Amino acid sequence: MTSSTQPPDEPAEPTGHTGHGDADHGHGHAHGHSHGHGPAAPVSKHLRKVIAAVLIPFATAVFVGMAVLWPGGAPAHERSGVGFDRQTEQGRVVRLEQVDCKSVNASQVPPTANPSTPEGREAQAAQTGQCKKATVEVGTGRDKGRTFIEIVQPGAPRQLADGQEVVVAYAPDAPRDLQYSVIDVNRKIPLAVLAGIFALVVVLVGRMRGLFALIALVISFAVLTLFILPAILQGSNPLVVAIIGASAIMLIALYLCHGLTARTSVAVLGTLVSLLLIGLLGSVFIDWAFLTGNTDDNTGLIHGLYPDIDMSGLLLASIIIGSLGVLDDVTVTQTSAVWELHHADPAMGPRSLYRAAIRIGRDHIASVVNTLVLAYAGAALPLLLLFSIANSSVGAVANSELVAVEIVRTLVGSIGLVASVPVTTALAALVVSADRPAGATATTAAPGTGRGNRGRGRRRKR
């Protein structure tokens, strides 16, 4: 190894820095230690103090805000019996038989004179086709063991099978024979198996980092269900709750997954700036476009049960929380890019680091924005299909509040993502360039290294 040929009085280069003569190769093979794959060298104590002075008050404010707004659970209300606001129990199909639809009076509507219409075909099939008569046993609740009859018409989108686990709704005010009805199938087992496969793959591939990512995911879900949702239902401002909750998720997830380091702290700052920009833009355009946030049966039910909830504020909160996951990915990637570039060539100044890292960021922008737009388009695909069937123009589709909400959500989130790249890159370049690790001056000041011109940036005094 060439390090053995150094003069005795020449101090060895600190571990974690690459030889300048090999900066273009990215690994520093001319030295006796590996540089390209290990963690970056720790930053100086002074720089850690500066970062802590910014982040500690912010983290304190976030967790104090959570303590002040902590809801203590969702407020109680009387069930309306509509949509998701129904009392449900578990059940199982214990018998299934084929019967004539007409014999069980499956349809009260006689066939129309025009069987070419969907209504006519459905009514005709209900009168003349073969229906399924399912005997369902209630498996939980006060009426465990009780059975009831469910008639499934041939054209129904949900068909039942013998032995199938189902979800049943209970209506206590209805006549006894009509108190129970099947509303869905029980999907808990396949969903649990899929979640187990996901966790196993993450741990096998990510190892300890993957395990910490799963722990962060559980904590994020806990913050969402124990703080954000109940606090909004209790009447707290949805925007304030979303910002505090998203900040708590960001701090816990980033530091747990990536360590309590200066690199992670810069990613946190970049994410915070981007979230504030998304909140500002979202607030402006939700008001300007007169988006109420009350666009379907579910939001209408929420507004009916809790009329004091600000539905437009709830929409803004959903934009902020929805953008957080992708923001974390972008800011961590950009910060790591800057750190690795500095690791390869410590002589690079902030401008050079920024220009090199932003080229990486441009590729990231293209892929992430495309991913975000397609994710929202995929979620709204049935809605877009309905507009396509109706032969509506693009302008009419975009002007509908149902679609306008998704457009604002997508574009505001995308603007925040794009802005996070230069913001995080600039922060990381400034922080890593301002760093002066212990021993760096002595190393670069050594005579006879042949790198005097390239080391001048590190020999300057503060």
Side-chain angles (χ1 to χ4, degrees):
M1 300 187 341
T2 54
S3 57
S4 61
T5 61
Q6 288 181 332
D9 58 343
E10 182 178 351
E13 191 167 347
T15 302
H17 293 285
T18 308
H20 299 160
D22 298 307
D24 293 336
H25 300 291
H27 296 286
H29 295 297
H31 295 282
H33 22 257
S34 173
H35 304 292
H37 304 288
V43 296
S44 64
K45 186 176 181 180
H46 170 72
L47 191 54
R48 289 199 300 270
K49 288 182 178 179
V50 173
I51 295 173
V54 175
L55 287 177
I56 289 178
F58 166 66
T60 302
V62 167
F63 292 108
V64 167
M66 287 185 68
V68 171
L69 296 176
W70 192 263
H77 72 279
E78 291 189 9
R79 293 186 180 273
S80 65
V82 179
F84 289 102
D85 194 38
R86 289 180 284 187
Q87 181 178 339
T88 60
E89 304 291 349
Q90 302 300 311
R92 186 172 65 90
V93 178
V94 294
R95 187 186 309 118
L96 192 68
E97 54 185 312
Q98 295 283 344
V99 296
D100 184 70
C101 291
K102 193 173 183 178
S103 68
V104 293
N105 198 22
S107 176
Q108 301 295 331
V109 181
T112 63
N114 184 9
S116 63
T117 63
E119 294 84 359
R121 288 193 299 270
E122 182 179 350
Q124 194 173 50
Q127 289 288 334
T128 61
Q130 288 291 309
C131 292
K132 291 180 179 179
K133 182 180 178 181
T135 302
V136 181
E137 181 181 14
V138 179
T140 58
R142 56 181 294 181
D143 292 326
K144 181 178 180 181
R146 177 177 165 183
T147 60
F148 65 95
I149 301 299
E150 183 83 10
I151 302 299
V152 183
Q153 298 183 14
R158 182 178 60 249
Q159 297 293 316
L160 299 179
D162 193 10
Q164 187 173 31
E165 300 288 335
V166 294
V167 179
V168 299
Y170 174 60
D173 297 331
R176 179 174 173 82
D177 292 342
L178 302 176
Q179 285 182 333
Y180 284 96
S181 61
V182 176
I183 59 171
D184 211 341
V185 299
N186 192 330
R187 304 180 180 90
K188 290 182 179 179
I189 293 179
L191 292 179
V193 171
L194 181 60
I197 294 172
F198 164 74
L200 182 62
V201 170
V202 169
V203 173
L204 286 178
V205 177
R207 299 188 181 182
M208 287 303 298
R209 187 69 62 89
L211 179 61
F212 285 133
L214 290 177
I215 295 173
L217 180 62
V218 172
I219 294 174
S220 299
F221 188 74
V223 172
L224 181 65
T225 56
L226 299 179
F227 171 69
I228 295 177
L229 299 180
I232 291 175
L233 291 178
Q234 291 282 13
S236 300
N237 186 295
L239 178 58
V240 175
V241 171
I243 290 176
I244 293 176
S247 299
I249 291 173
M250 172 186 67
L251 288 168
I252 294 170
L254 286 179
Y255 282 118
L256 186 60
C257 293
H258 303 285
L260 196 64
T261 64
R263 186 189 329 212
T264 308
S265 300
V266 172
V268 167
L269 291 174
T271 304
L272 176 62
V273 172
S274 302
L275 282 178
L276 293 175
L277 176 61
I278 289 172
L280 177 62
L281 284 175
S283 179
V284 169
F285 282 95
I286 286 174
D287 290 342
W288 194 4
F290 297 99
L291 298 177
T292 63
N294 192 356
T295 55
D296 56 26
D297 293 341
N298 293 328
T299 54
L301 177 60
I302 293 171
H303 186 63
L305 293 174
Y306 301 96
D308 294 333
I309 291 179
D310 180 8
M311 297 304 293
S312 60
L314 186 62
L315 172 61
L316 180 56
S318 71
I319 294 174
I320 292 173
I321 295 172
S323 302
L324 178 61
V326 189
L327 269 177
D328 287 352
D329 173 53
V330 173
T331 54
V332 169
T333 300
Q334 283 306 112
T335 306
S336 296
V338 173
W339 243 261
E340 292 303 322
L341 287 167
H342 177 72
H343 185 46
D345 186 0
M348 292 178 70
R351 286 189 178 182
S352 299
L353 281 173
Y354 178 84
R355 284 196 297 265
I358 203 68
R359 288 194 292 269
I360 301 172
R362 290 190 185 106
D363 291 336
H364 206 185
I365 286 173
S367 60
V368 167
V369 168
N370 194 46
T371 299
L372 190 65
V373 171
L374 290 178
Y376 284 128
L381 200 57
L383 176 64
L384 297 177
L385 186 59
L386 286 177
F387 281 107
S388 178
I389 293 172
N391 292 323
S392 300
S393 66
V394 175
V397 171
N399 192 63
S400 166
E401 182 169 1
L402 277 170
V403 178
V405 163
E406 299 304 326
I407 291 175
V408 170
R409 192 195 311 272
T410 302
L411 297 183
V412 167
S414 297
I415 291 171
L417 287 174
V418 172
S420 70
V421 172
V423 168
T424 307
T425 304
L427 284 172
L430 290 173
V431 167
V432 79
S433 299
D435 187 26
R436 294 294 185 273
T441 303
T443 300
T444 55
T449 61
R451 303 185 185 102
N453 292 334
R454 299 197 61 183
R456 286 181 299 187
R458 291 192 291 169
R459 288 201 299 270
R460 289 196 300 265
K461 302 295 182 182
R462 287 187 180 273

